[in-house]
């Protein structure tokens, strides 16, 4: 491996490592706007100029367009380099409106950060600034302020290179050129939100987040996106302290978390904006018995009665358990312990179709809207438990053979369509576990509110079989509780042998002797941090 | 030193653009000889190297060396791009070749392509060159009919297609990599170098980009021999150069001089001196991108090295003569407006710096300037020189600094308040 020296630190990096990336390895941040490791190198912002020395040759060049080779000496701190960086910054800020007090990017803005680190000059601009379009909706989810734009072309390259269609372009020339849509093109690709993350300044803003919170009020938890089976790594950014804004919305935004093996730097818009259910009005907050809000004790007591009424007689064939794979591995593991091992339900299904069809694409999105189908399968759902498909269980219900049904995490629309009556009218009782008051919730004999993925911790197994942990960001709403705890509390009423102290204990029990789970380091994650976007290349 | 006509030898004949006339005066003779004698490509490249032929577009890079950079074993096709995007303010020399002797250019193209192993040549022509386009296209068609271009040229088995591509009016597309992007149908933004066009050029294939005049020298090199050609000029700059003299001078026009001729001689002996016997104020010696020379600085040989030593550049050979009536701050404003408008906008220092300086120059001209503005210009300009993707930033910065430094009093005179 080549040995390079950056500011007197000598270290080894793999051949061909980009110098900006190499410098990061030893904690040196070479300032840059246009460079992003996921996009092609254009070298247009000119911020990353460094002094290079090799053999008897010494010259100034861009760090972004040079890669590590043996014996290369890089300096980022010579007076000449400092002067150039400062000058480039001054050029970039020349036409910038410096409206930081009303800019959503303040706090995460490279211009701001670099000015504090490398600028700190007095303004000597004595001429007028350009005026360019402001508040221009470039697409359904993103709004553009051209005056703030530094024309780094990251967003343009994202559309060209990652999505594969030209939707944004830089038009005109000279300093009054503008970033704008291609003629008759909208920034409407399913990954459009990434341009907001890529934008090093406040030019491209998320309409979903715009003017919602100052970013320094946000806290951040590391999580896994539950919107499809890819298992993209995300940050959940939340703020529970300023509820006078945003009608009590606690989760403010979702940002991608770099994982080179899964989602690299990106997430799709479905994942980015799909969090609104967490603080939606339809959230289920209290346990219900026959439509009346009760406490957990009463609800679980009633559920126990109902299950007991069928399990002995007419027997396990008369009851069924359907669990949608939106739940974590721990939930699934604990549910199997209860329904398969303790209660010996004969009908357990998880392969529940959804009414919505997802279109698989070349970037990240899979065609499976469930985040944990693979995890359910690995735990023994489907194959070992029984031969029934969820559809066959529904047929049995409609045929009057199954009288009691426990459902979690789905309203079965993909199975029974609009006509939920056809199902519920055949049942003597229905126990529903859900995070929202869906249409089965309305019909349930006993309805139990569960926590969403941001209100608890757990693991999902993605489409490739990678087990990934999501952390708890906020407290469950109302009386909602993690699904595995619901099953455990119910199991206690059936004198279960299996009791777990916390999610990690469930995980450990599940992981024992299974290498695919042992690869995950439960402790190796970071807990709650501040919510300013850290993967800001 | 009198004029020495090689490229412009046949300019005086109005029928030279016709193939018959060109053939009558020895056109395509060298091309036919190369084909007939099956001259080795390397021998041609060596001859051009010996001739010390340098890029006549402004940069002055040795042409033979450039050809030598093209990988010989590349499985990709190779291209020649003739840069006829003559847009440098003050420059009008290439246009004369295109209009008056297009067959000389085509012969040069043919020999260059043969030497490098190229079968497709593009002439990237400035968008406004409607007439030269028609003339050169006619010349290509005629030469093809005669079997001098096209398929199986003169029975040799060598194919060469020459295609004219018209630019869309951007000055920056005269920069070789911006030219290539424009040729490919992309926005005319210069590319990062390396890779150089000789390795990855047009359509990601090895490409030679040469100026019209450079290519037009090739037949003369083949005729005279490299050594004789070199001896016309100086040790490092072989041959002649076309100078486009304009401004306040008695006899403006295009003059072909041996390299090494004194600038003073060119202005006073060849062009008849400053118009109406006025005092000389300054000379912009190589197009608007070259730093201005004061009257006491013009006794300098017109060759790349000597001009660089004098703190300016030979550039495209566009000599702009300014007399005492000219306002330097006004020239400064017009020039910086040009660069602010023509900056491609890709990279920061040039995009913002050109506009900033232009806006300051307007302010000074309006009488609102302050001496500090000159200091601002002098501190901004060095940050645009050598910090950008292409040389446009430097082309603005260097002459700007020269004007402010050499004519500071003229600027201060506008700041009396």
């Amino acid at each position: 491996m080549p040995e390079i020296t950056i500011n007197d630190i000598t270290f080894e990096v793999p051949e061909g490592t980009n110098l900006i990336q190499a410098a990061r390895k030893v904690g040196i941040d070479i300032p840059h706007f246009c460079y992003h490791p996921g996009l092609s190198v254009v070298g247009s912002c000119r911020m990353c100029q460094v002094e290079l020395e090799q053999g008897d040759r010494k010259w100034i060049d861009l760090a972004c367009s040079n890669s590590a080779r043996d014996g290369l000496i890089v300096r980022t701190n010579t007076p000449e380099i400092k002067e150039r960086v400062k000058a480039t910054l001054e050029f970039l800020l020349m036409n910038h409106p410096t409206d930081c007090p009303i800019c959503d990017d303040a706090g995460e803005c490279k211009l701001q950060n670099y000015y504090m680190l490398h600028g700190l000059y007095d303004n000597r601009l004595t001429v007028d600034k350009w005026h360019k379009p402001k508040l221009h909706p470039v697409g359904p989810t993103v709004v553009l302020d051209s005056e703030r734009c530094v024309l780094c072309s990251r967003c343009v390259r994202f559309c060209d290179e990652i999505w594969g269609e030209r939707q944004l372009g830089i038009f005109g020339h000279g300093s009054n050129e503008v970033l704008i849509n291609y003629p008759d093109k909208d920034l409407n690709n399913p990954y459009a939100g990434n341009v907001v993350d890529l934008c090093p300044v406040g030019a491209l803003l998320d309409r979903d987040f715009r003017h919602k919170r100052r970013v320094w009020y946000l806290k951040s938890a590391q999580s896994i996106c539950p919107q499809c089976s890819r298992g993209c790594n995300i940050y959940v950014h939340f703020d529970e302290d300023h509820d006078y804004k945003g009608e009590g919305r606690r989760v403010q935004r979702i940002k991608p978390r770099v994982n080179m093996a899964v989602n690299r730097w990106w997430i799709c818009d479905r994942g980015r904006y799909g969090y609104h259910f967490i603080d939606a009005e339809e959230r289920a907050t209290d346990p219900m018995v026959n439509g009346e809000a009760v406490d957990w004790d009463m609800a679980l007591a009633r559920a126990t009665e109902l299950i007991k009424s069928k399990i002995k007689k007419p027997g396990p064939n008369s009851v069924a358990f359907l669990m949608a794979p939106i739940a974590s591995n721990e939930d699934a593991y604990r549910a199997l312990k209860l329904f398969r091992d303790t209660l010996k339900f004969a009908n357990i299904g998880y392969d529940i179709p959804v009414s919505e069809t997802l279109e698989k694409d070349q970037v990240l999105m899979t065609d499976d809207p469930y985040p944990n189908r693979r995890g359910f399968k690995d735990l023994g759902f489907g194959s070992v438990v029984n031969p029934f498909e969820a559809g066959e269980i529904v047929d049995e219900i409609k045929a009057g053979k199954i009288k009691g049904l426990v459902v979690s995490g789905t309203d079965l629309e993909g199975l029974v369509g609009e006509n939920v009556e056809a199902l519920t009218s055949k049942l003597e009782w229905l126990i529903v576990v859900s995070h929202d008051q869906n249409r089965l919730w309305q019909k349930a004999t006993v309805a139990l509110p569960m926590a969403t993925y941001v209100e608890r911790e757990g693991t999902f197994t993605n489409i490739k079989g990678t087990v990934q942990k999501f952390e708890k960001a906020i407290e469950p709403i109302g009386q909602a509780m993690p699904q595995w705890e619901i099953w455990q509390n119910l199991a206690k009423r059936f004198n279960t042998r299996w009791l777990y102290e916390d999610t990690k204990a469930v995980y450990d029990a599940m992981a024992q002797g299974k290498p695919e789970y042992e690869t995950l380091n439960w402790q190796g994650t970071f807990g709650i941090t501040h919510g300013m976007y850290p993967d800001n290349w | 030193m009198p004029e020495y006509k090689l490229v412009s030898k046949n300019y005086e004949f109005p029928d030279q653009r016709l193939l018959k006339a060109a053939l009558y005066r020895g056109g395509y003779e060298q091309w036919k000889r190369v084909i007939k004698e099956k001259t080795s490509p390397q021998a041609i490249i060596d001859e051009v190297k010996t001739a010390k032929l340098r890029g006549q577009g402004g940069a002055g890079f040795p042409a033979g060396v450039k050809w030598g950079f093209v990988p010989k074993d590349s499985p990709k096709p190779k291209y020649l791009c003739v840069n006829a995007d003559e847009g440098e303010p003050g420059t009008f020399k290439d246009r004369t070749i295109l209009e008056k002797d297009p067959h000389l250019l085509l012969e040069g193209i043919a020999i260059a392509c043969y030497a490098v192993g190229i079968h497709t040549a593009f002439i990237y022509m400035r968008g406004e060159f409607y007439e030269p386009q028609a003339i050169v296209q006619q010349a290509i068609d005629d030469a093809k009919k005669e079997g001098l271009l096209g398929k199986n040229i003169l029975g040799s088995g060598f194919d060469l297609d020459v295609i004219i591509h018209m630019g869309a009016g951007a000055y920056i597309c005269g920069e070789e990599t911006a030219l290539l992007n424009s040729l490919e149908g992309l926005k005319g933004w210069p590319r990062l170098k390396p890779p150089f066009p000789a390795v990855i050029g047009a359509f990601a294939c090895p490409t030679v980009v040469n100026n019209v005049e450079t290519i037009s020298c090739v037949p003369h090199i083949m005729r005279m021999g490299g050594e004789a050609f070199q001896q016309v000029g100086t040790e490092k700059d072989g041959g002649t150069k076309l100078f486009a003299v304009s401004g306040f001078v008695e006899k403006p026009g295009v003059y072909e001089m041996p390299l090494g001729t004194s600038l003073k001689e060119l202005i006073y002996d060849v062009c008849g001196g400053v118009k109406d016997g006025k005092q000389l104020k300054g000379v912009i010696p190589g197009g608007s991108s070259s730093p201005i020379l004061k009257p006491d600085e013009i006794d300098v040989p017109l060759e790349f090295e000597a001009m660089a030593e004098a703190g300016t550049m030979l550039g495209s050979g566009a000599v702009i003569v300014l007399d005492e009536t000219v306002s330097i701050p006004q020239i400064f404003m017009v020039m910086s407006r040009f660069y602010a408008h023509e900056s491609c906008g890709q990279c920061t220092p040039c995009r913002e710096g050109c506009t900033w300086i232009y806006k300051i120059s307007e302010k000074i001209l309006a009488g609102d300037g302050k001496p500090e503005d000159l200091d601002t210009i002098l501190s901004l300009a060095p940050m645009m020189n050598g910090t950008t993707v292409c040389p446009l930033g430097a082309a603005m910065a260097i002459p700007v600094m020269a004007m402010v430094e050499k004519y500071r009093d003229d600027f201060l005179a506008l700041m009396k308040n």
Side-chain angles (χ1 to χ4, degrees):
Chain A
M1 279 208 290
E3 196 177 75
I4 63 165
T5 305
I6 301 184
N7 293 354
D8 302 325
I9 307 171
T10 302
F11 60 106
E12 282 192 347
V13 281
E15 179 87 42
T17 306
N18 174 288
L19 289 187
I20 294 182
Q21 298 205 33
R24 279 220 174 174
K25 285 184 204 276
V26 290
I28 296 167
D29 184 53
I30 300 177
H32 60 275
F33 289 96
C34 66
Y35 173 76
H36 188 280
L39 303 171
S40 63
V41 171
V42 290
S44 67
C45 74
R46 316 308 282 182
M47 271 298 275
C48 67
Q49 296 179 65
V50 289
E51 184 183 280
L52 300 178
E53 188 181 333
Q54 187 147 42
D56 47 11
R57 196 174 156 227
K58 202 184 220 180
W59 73 106
I60 290 179
D61 205 345
L62 299 180
C64 72
S65 65
N66 277 278
S67 51
R69 45 194 184 269
D70 204 36
L72 187 69
I73 299 170
V74 184
R75 293 185 192 90
T76 70
N77 50 8
T78 68
E80 200 185 351
I81 294 300
K82 284 183 176 173
E83 192 194 357
R84 285 182 176 218
V85 168
K86 192 169 171 173
T88 310
L89 199 58
E90 190 178 11
F91 284 131
L92 281 168
L93 278 162
M94 178 202 166
N95 279 305
H96 189 86
T98 44
D99 54 349
C100 311
I102 54 156
C103 177
D104 278 287
D105 210 47
E108 299 177 325
C109 172
K110 275 183 184 289
L111 270 179
Q112 274 186 336
N113 294 346
Y114 291 155
Y115 179 80
M116 298 314 288
L117 286 167
H118 309 289
L120 292 178
Y121 53 81
D122 289 328
N123 183 13
R124 52 179 177 160
L125 187 76
T126 54
V127 296
D128 293 340
K129 296 185 180 204
W130 286 115
H131 290 291
K132 294 181 183 178
K134 294 178 88 76
L135 245 180
H136 173 77
V138 285
T141 55
V142 180
V143 68
L144 165 72
D145 183 326
S146 263
E147 289 184 348
R148 292 179 188 154
C149 176
V150 293
L151 298 162
C152 68
S153 82
R154 279 180 172 194
C155 52
V156 176
R157 282 174 282 148
F158 178 83
C159 295
D160 288 4
E161 295 164 12
I162 307 299
W163 176 242
E165 185 190 356
R166 293 201 168 155
Q167 297 185 329
L168 293 175
I170 294 176
F171 295 89
H173 49 141
S175 73
N176 55 347
E177 72 181 359
V178 285
L179 167 78
I180 210 91
N181 299 79
Y182 262 77
D184 304 323
K185 286 280 169 74
D186 231 12
L187 179 69
N188 58 3
N189 71 66
Y191 296 84
N194 288 291
V195 303
V196 177
D197 309 335
L198 285 169
C199 185
V201 297
L204 291 166
L205 293 174
D206 215 320
R207 294 168 85 169
D208 183 60
F209 179 66
R210 191 169 168 269
H211 293 181
K212 290 290 188 293
R213 286 288 192 286
R214 302 306 329 210
V215 292
W216 48 85
Y217 289 143
L218 296 177
K219 291 179 184 137
S220 172
Q222 305 201 5
S223 193
I224 302 297
C225 178
Q227 300 286 351
C228 86
S229 58
R230 178 69 61 201
C232 292
N233 292 208
I234 55 171
Y235 292 106
V236 174
H237 285 175
F238 60 96
D239 175 20
E240 295 174 293
D241 303 331
H242 298 81
D243 53 7
Y244 49 87
K245 287 203 82 178
E247 297 92 39
R249 172 172 151 185
R250 298 169 298 165
V251 175
Q252 291 296 325
R253 65 178 184 184
I254 303 290
K255 286 279 190 187
R257 180 158 61 93
V258 175
N259 185 331
M260 293 310 286
V262 182
N263 54 313
R264 297 182 298 151
W265 303 268
W266 328 120
I267 54 171
C268 70
D269 283 3
R270 183 182 145 87
R272 185 182 299 269
Y273 304 118
Y275 67 88
H276 286 279
F277 71 91
I278 294 163
D279 292 315
E281 258 179 56
E282 312 82 75
R283 269 304 294 278
T285 53
D286 297 297
M288 315 281 272
V289 172
N290 296 325
E292 298 275 326
V294 293
D295 62 10
W296 274 104
D297 218 37
M298 270 181 80
L300 289 175
R302 184 74 185 121
T304 310
E305 273 172 36
L306 294 173
I307 293 170
K308 277 184 175 162
S309 73
K310 282 279 166 289
I311 206 84
K312 286 262 161 59
K313 211 179 150 193
N317 283 328
S318 65
V319 285
F321 174 50
L322 289 174
M323 185 177 188
I326 62 161
S328 78
N329 287 323
E330 296 71 26
D331 300 337
Y333 181 76
R334 193 63 195 81
L336 279 183
K337 282 268 175 286
L338 174 62
F339 292 102
R340 180 188 62 188
D341 302 340
T342 306
L343 300 177
K344 315 232 184 282
F345 271 39
N347 307 301
I348 297 178
Y350 79 108
D351 194 13
I352 302 155
V354 279
S355 48
E356 168 197 32
T357 50
L358 276 198
E359 216 158 289
K360 187 180 167 162
D361 66 35
Q362 76 279 15
V363 188
L364 294 172
M365 215 163 346
T366 69
D367 53 10
D368 181 0
Y370 288 129
N372 204 24
R373 191 189 296 265
R374 172 71 184 260
F376 272 50
K377 212 167 159 186
D378 289 352
L379 283 169
F381 264 92
S383 54
V384 185
V385 182
N386 67 30
F388 281 151
E389 292 293 323
E392 293 174 284
I393 293 174
V394 167
D395 291 342
E396 298 273 295
I397 295 171
K398 285 180 176 166
K401 289 181 187 159
I402 293 175
K403 292 288 181 195
L405 176 64
V406 183
V407 181
S408 105
T410 171
D411 66 356
L412 297 176
E413 193 184 340
L415 269 181
V416 297
E418 294 293 313
N419 189 5
V420 74
E421 279 288 334
L423 190 76
T424 52
S425 62
K426 301 282 184 183
L427 289 169
E428 279 177 31
W429 51 262
L430 171 65
I431 298 170
V432 171
V433 171
S434 175
H435 56 67
D436 63 348
Q437 302 178 36
N438 61 28
R439 53 196 195 136
L440 285 183
W441 178 279
Q442 320 285 354
K443 307 267 180 205
T445 325
V446 175
L448 307 170
M450 71 173 182
T452 58
Y453 74 108
V454 298
E455 296 164 326
R456 44 157 307 174
E457 59 182 0
T459 62
F460 289 140
T461 307
N462 81 351
I463 188 164
K464 287 183 175 170
T466 309
V467 183
Q468 303 188 101
K469 186 189 167 199
F470 53 90
E471 298 193 330
K472 177 174 169 176
I474 51 178
E475 288 301 321
I477 204 164
Q479 297 191 60
M481 82 170 58
Q483 200 180 156
W484 74 265
E485 279 188 55
I486 299 177
W487 301 138
Q488 175 152 300
N489 289 339
L490 187 61
K492 282 178 187 166
R493 291 168 190 272
F494 293 98
N495 300 321
T496 184
R497 301 194 273 129
W498 297 290
L499 285 172
Y500 306 103
E501 211 171 296
D502 54 16
T503 319
K504 183 178 183 306
V506 186
Y507 181 82
D508 287 344
M510 177 176 78
Q512 213 168 18
K514 290 190 185 133
E516 67 266 34
Y517 294 102
E518 282 169 355
T519 54
L520 182 126
N521 178 2
W522 190 272
Q523 307 296 353
T525 43
F526 300 98
I528 304 300
T529 55
H530 71 77
M532 284 190 271
Y533 186 42
D535 286 327
N536 214 342
W537 261 96
Chain B
M1 218 179 278
E3 270 196 90
Y4 192 108
K5 292 189 177 183
L6 291 174
V7 172
S8 62
K9 198 169 79 180
N10 295 319
Y11 276 18
E12 58 186 292
F13 307 111
D15 61 352
Q16 178 66 15
R17 64 173 72 158
L18 304 176
L19 180 62
K20 247 187 194 168
L23 288 170
Y24 171 72
R25 295 190 188 101
Y28 293 102
E29 255 169 33
Q30 299 310 314
W31 177 222
K32 287 178 189 164
R33 184 172 66 84
V34 164
I35 290 287
K36 195 174 159 202
E37 294 176 4
K38 297 196 168 72
T39 315
S40 89
Q42 190 56 45
I44 299 175
I45 295 178
D46 290 344
E47 208 67 56
V48 172
K49 276 185 188 163
T50 315
K52 297 282 156 61
L53 173 64
R54 298 185 47 160
Q56 309 281 42
F61 193 82
V65 177
K66 205 181 218 180
W67 297 1
F69 286 155
V70 176
K72 295 211 162 42
D73 46 1
S74 169
K76 296 175 179 177
K78 298 170 214 169
Y79 299 108
L80 171 70
C81 283
V82 178
N83 187 345
D85 190 60
E86 185 174 48
E88 177 85 3
T91 314
F92 46 91
K93 63 176 180 75
D94 292 339
R95 180 176 194 135
T96 59
I97 299 174
L98 300 172
E99 288 181 343
K100 292 173 194 266
D101 202 350
H103 291 289
L104 177 66
L105 172 65
L106 293 180
E107 185 180 4
I109 289 174
I111 297 170
C113 288
Y114 177 88
V116 190
I118 291 168
H119 302 287
T120 309
F122 298 99
I123 303 176
Y124 184 94
M125 214 179 272
R126 179 174 173 170
E128 294 88 342
F129 276 10
Y130 310 116
E131 286 165 35
Q133 180 199 15
I135 294 165
V136 176
Q137 189 59 56
Q138 186 64 50
I140 293 170
D141 295 345
D142 292 348
K144 262 190 182 169
K145 264 183 220 154
E146 199 67 23
L148 294 162
L149 296 176
K151 293 260 177 259
N152 190 18
I153 295 169
L154 303 171
S156 65
F158 184 79
D159 301 337
L160 175 61
D161 218 1
V162 182
I163 298 158
I164 299 180
H165 180 94
M166 298 303 284
Y171 168 67
I172 190 59
C173 292
E175 195 278 338
E176 58 177 359
T177 56
L179 182 151
L180 295 174
N181 272 350
S182 171
L183 181 73
E184 289 181 21
L186 303 171
K187 186 170 180 176
W189 274 3
R191 302 175 181 172
L192 272 188
K193 290 192 255 185
F196 289 92
V199 183
I200 297 178
F203 312 103
C205 297
T207 304
V208 175
V209 185
N210 275 144
N211 173 259
V212 169
E213 188 187 347
T214 316
I215 290 287
S216 301
C217 287
V218 174
H220 291 289
I221 292 171
M222 297 309 291
R223 179 173 58 82
M224 300 163 70
E227 214 175 315
F229 181 89
Q230 179 263 315
Q231 276 165 5
V232 172
T234 66
E235 198 192 323
K236 284 183 175 165
D237 292 4
T240 59
K241 172 137 188 57
L242 294 174
F243 290 95
V245 186
S246 65
F248 295 82
V249 63
E250 283 295 341
K251 292 188 283 176
V254 176
Y255 298 93
E256 185 167 9
M257 306 298 293
L259 281 152
T261 310
S262 153
L263 174 61
K264 196 171 183 176
E265 259 184 80
L266 173 65
I267 295 170
Y268 285 95
D269 301 348
V270 180
C271 300
V274 181
K275 195 166 166 38
D276 301 333
K278 291 253 172 50
Q279 288 291 309
L280 185 67
K281 178 113 190 186
V283 178
I284 298 173
S288 63
S289 308
S290 60
I292 192 166
L293 294 174
K294 293 192 92 165
D296 58 353
E297 294 172 319
I298 62 166
D299 198 5
V300 52
L302 291 164
E303 57 153 346
F304 287 97
E305 264 79 21
M307 293 292 274
E309 267 170 45
T312 183
M313 54 195 247
L314 185 61
S316 61
V319 179
I320 306 170
V321 181
L322 308 171
D323 78 359
E324 56 188 313
T325 64
V326 170
S327 156
I328 296 294
Q330 178 119 28
I331 296 259
F332 181 94
M333 187 279 283
V334 170
M335 235 192 68
S336 51
R337 184 176 61 194
F338 174 79
Y339 286 102
H341 179 71
E342 292 296 347
S343 167
C344 81
Q346 179 179 207
C347 69
T348 312
C350 170
R351 178 182 68 226
E352 307 294 343
C354 290
T355 306
W356 195 342
I357 291 176
Y358 159 55
K359 285 183 174 174
I360 293 176
S361 74
E362 259 195 330
K363 207 177 103 182
I364 293 173
L365 218 56
D368 300 331
K370 293 196 176 72
E372 299 90 87
D373 288 331
L374 298 180
D375 301 334
T376 305
I377 292 172
L378 289 179
S379 71
L380 292 179
M383 292 296 119
M384 296 157 58
N385 179 12
T387 60
T388 49
V389 173
C390 82
L392 195 140
M396 160 92 173
I398 301 173
V400 151
M401 286 191 281
M403 278 194 203
V404 173
E405 277 162 1
K406 292 181 180 176
Y407 296 90
R408 197 177 181 99
D409 291 343
D410 293 42
F411 288 90
L412 291 175
L414 291 170
M415 301 176 184
K416 275 180 225 127
N417 325 329

